[in-house]
Amino acid sequence: MPVFPSGFVWGAATAAYQIEGAVHEGGRGENIWDRFCRQPGRIRDGSSGEVACDHYRRYAEDIALMGDLGVGAYRFSIAWPRLFPAGKGPLNRQGLDFYDRLVDGLCEAGITPFATLYYWDLPQELQARGGWTNRDTIPRFVDYACAAAERLGDRVQDFILMNEISVAAWRGHATGIHAPGIADARAFLAATHHMNLAQGEAIRAMRGESSRWRLGSALNLMPVDPADDSIGAADAADLVDAFWNGSVIDPLIHGRYPEIVAGRFQPFVQEDDMERIRQKVDFIGLNHYSRAYARQDPDQPLGVGMVAPPDDRPTTAMGWRIDGGGFRETLMRLKEDYGNPPVHVTENGAAFDDIVDADGRISDPARIAFLEEYLSALGQAIEAGCDVRSYFVWSLMDNFEWAEGYTKRFGLVHVDYATQKRTPKDSFGWYARLTREGRF
Ligand code: FCB
């Protein structure tokens, strides 16, 4: 039974496109997900984030829920196209007003805001000019990041520059299952490098403006195992590990790409880039869900792919293996290979097929068991010396799960999308006890 250090912060996380809705409100511009969702066959249930959880209008109710949950911190994201509808140009005051109100509401409730600046919602106008495959997107991001931080940074201290560069690059530009839906190796390499560089440049610029801000990146890191005993699968696992984990964290911490892929990035790397990407961050945000399995896949642009777990061990509704050991392993790797940085676990959680019973109750023992397993692993990692400061559960409420639409529910709060009624699940009560007692 883990006991967490005093001062350890319990939080909950969401992202703008997954919860806000109101895509035409307040002068917001179109983003790549608005566009992607309109393409037939892209989203499992044909849905989009157009309405989502209507959080844009219901944010006060949602802050009240956070109060009931007892969280000390809330991680949300700022939608770039609300502030700069076309990705650049004059700041859209109305868009900023929403985050002003949100942050004020959080501060009044005594909840520390953690703001993510890029959570996959690139303004479509920038995509029209190549998006992350175009180096010109970098200064646009720097301008946006500085403007957002300048306006909200009197109340927000913790900024997460980017959410999961490797996922945005891999799923958006290699497998193409996420926006902008590109499946091309060069696009993947360029997008990865340019996002890495945009992050580095924005950190440098923000450091110049305030020493008050704590800056970090949310990385999706996971152990990558071969899908079977073949040599091909072992090689595939090394390559996927290098692309998925190494190509984001190695440049940031060590200023270089992993050796086995460095040559492939070379055409996109200009003089000084690597020094600009390498930054002293205040924390690493760790998003972790599962362990990955890799094999050769000639049909994929990178020649490798990720597949379902090879054995019959339990998985979540996403088909992701439940494996607290992989979480501990990932935390230990941060400690051993990357200098034991301060870590915020910026996402962890699970989707299950929740059922609302006749009394309107959502009993979700599988989610509670998942959290117990992963938090026990976290407790072990802390005991082994990992410098973990907080844990943000994914997610506060059910929301738009990207290519899966509304078919997957990750929330501690159930959302009835027809009525927007929020109902805390049993796991909400479980987590509320944890936030108050610091143990389970
Ligand atoms: C992560 C994303 C988050 C959510 C979870 C399930 O990769 O950051 O938005 O979709 O997966």
Side-chain angles (χ1 to χ4, degrees):
M1 201 191 270
V3 178
F4 292 87
S6 71
F8 191 84
V9 176
W10 297 102
T14 63
Y17 190 70
Q18 295 178 277
I19 64 165
E20 285 180 2
V23 298
H24 306 296
E25 297 295 312
R28 174 187 178 279
E30 189 187 15
N31 76 27
I32 56 174
W33 277 91
D34 297 317
R35 182 68 65 103
F36 186 71
C37 290
R38 283 201 296 276
Q39 297 170 12
R42 291 298 201 176
I43 311 298
R44 184 180 295 274
D45 56 4
S47 66
S48 74
E50 188 165 353
V51 178
C53 307
D54 196 29
H55 170 77
Y56 185 81
R57 291 189 192 80
R58 294 169 197 262
Y59 71 93
E61 179 186 347
D62 294 335
I63 293 174
L65 279 167
M66 293 175 216
D68 295 344
L69 191 57
V71 292
Y74 172 58
R75 175 181 176 223
F76 65 99
S77 81
I78 298 166
W80 184 347
R82 284 203 193 278
L83 269 54
F84 296 97
K88 59 177 186 174
L91 179 92
N92 172 35
R93 181 69 235 181
Q94 261 186 297
L96 179 70
D97 285 348
F98 169 66
Y99 298 104
D100 252 333
R101 294 194 294 273
L102 176 67
V103 168
D104 283 345
L106 291 166
C107 293
E108 274 163 37
I111 298 167
T112 304
F114 275 60
T116 308
L117 293 168
Y118 184 68
Y119 209 117
W120 304 357
D121 45 3
L122 189 76
Q124 179 61 35
E125 293 255 345
L126 296 183
Q127 188 60 45
R129 273 171 263 128
W132 288 115
T133 67
N134 183 350
R135 237 179 127 95
D136 292 345
T137 299
I138 296 169
R140 302 284 80 80
F141 177 71
V142 176
D143 290 348
Y144 151 65
C146 288
E150 216 175 88
R151 306 309 201 287
L152 299 168
D154 53 339
R155 289 148 291 159
V156 179
Q157 256 187 293
D158 296 276
F159 287 98
I160 294 159
L161 275 290
M162 296 247 173
N163 184 67
E164 300 185 344
I165 290 176
S166 63
V167 181
W170 182 280
R171 299 213 179 112
H173 301 80
T175 65
I177 63 168
H178 280 184
I182 299 167
D184 175 77
R186 280 182 62 82
F188 164 81
L189 295 162
T192 302
H193 183 64
H194 295 150
M195 282 190 267
N196 280 335
L197 190 52
Q199 174 171 276
E201 296 287 58
I203 290 175
R204 271 161 38 107
M206 288 168 73
R207 292 260 188 248
E209 295 198 8
S210 169
S211 52
R212 234 183 119 246
W213 299 330
R214 290 182 295 249
L215 309 179
S217 182
L219 315 179
N220 184 311
L221 303 176
M222 56 184 172
V224 182
D225 289 355
D228 55 49
D229 294 338
S230 65
I231 293 176
D235 291 346
D238 288 344
L239 200 57
V240 171
D241 177 54
F243 278 135
W244 186 275
N245 298 312
S247 297
V248 179
I249 189 164
D250 286 13
L252 177 63
I253 309 268
H254 299 315
R256 56 169 187 261
Y257 284 103
E259 221 176 301
I260 59 168
V261 294
R264 300 184 66 174
F265 284 103
Q266 210 45 52
F268 306 98
V269 179
Q270 297 183 9
E271 211 183 328
D272 296 340
D273 279 4
M274 299 315 293
E275 289 85 280
R276 288 167 179 274
I277 294 174
R278 180 188 197 165
Q279 294 292 330
K280 219 190 137 350
V281 280
D282 298 300
F283 61 88
I284 291 293
L286 171 62
N287 293 4
H288 180 86
Y289 291 90
S290 189
R291 179 185 289 281
Y293 295 91
R295 67 169 167 82
Q296 307 283 344
D297 185 348
D299 295 336
Q300 286 294 323
L302 297 170
V304 287
M306 290 191 226
V307 292
D311 48 36
D312 54 3
R313 280 181 239 177
T315 60
T316 67
M318 296 294 281
W320 298 344
R321 185 173 153 197
I322 301 169
D323 174 25
F327 189 25
R328 190 176 56 244
E329 212 174 300
T330 303
L331 287 159
M332 292 305 289
R333 191 170 171 191
L334 277 172
K335 172 172 179 282
E336 305 301 334
D337 297 352
Y338 298 98
N340 203 18
V343 172
H344 292 297
V345 177
T346 34
E347 286 180 26
N348 173 247
F352 289 104
D353 297 326
D354 299 319
I355 294 165
V356 185
D357 73 16
D359 310 326
R361 175 175 162 193
I362 300 105
S363 156
D364 57 343
R367 183 172 289 103
I368 295 172
F370 177 97
L371 293 173
E372 283 180 341
E373 177 170 337
Y374 277 70
L375 287 170
S376 298
L378 175 61
Q380 288 163 13
I382 292 173
E383 234 169 81
C386 294
D387 185 7
V388 186
R389 311 283 175 95
S390 72
Y391 174 92
F392 292 73
V393 69
W394 184 270
S395 176
L396 175 67
M397 56 188 157
D398 294 338
N399 57 49
F400 176 75
E401 177 47 38
W402 309 113
E404 300 295 322
Y406 297 99
T407 66
K408 298 289 185 281
R409 294 179 176 273
F410 274 90
L412 299 188
V413 175
H414 178 273
V415 177
D416 177 336
Y417 295 109
T419 61
Q420 291 297 342
K421 183 172 184 309
R422 277 96 160 116
T423 309
K425 303 176 190 177
D426 282 4
S427 55
F428 182 98
W430 182 89
Y431 197 67
R433 264 193 307 281
L434 174 63
T435 62
R436 295 195 165 97
E437 293 169 14
R439 61 169 72 212
F440 60 86

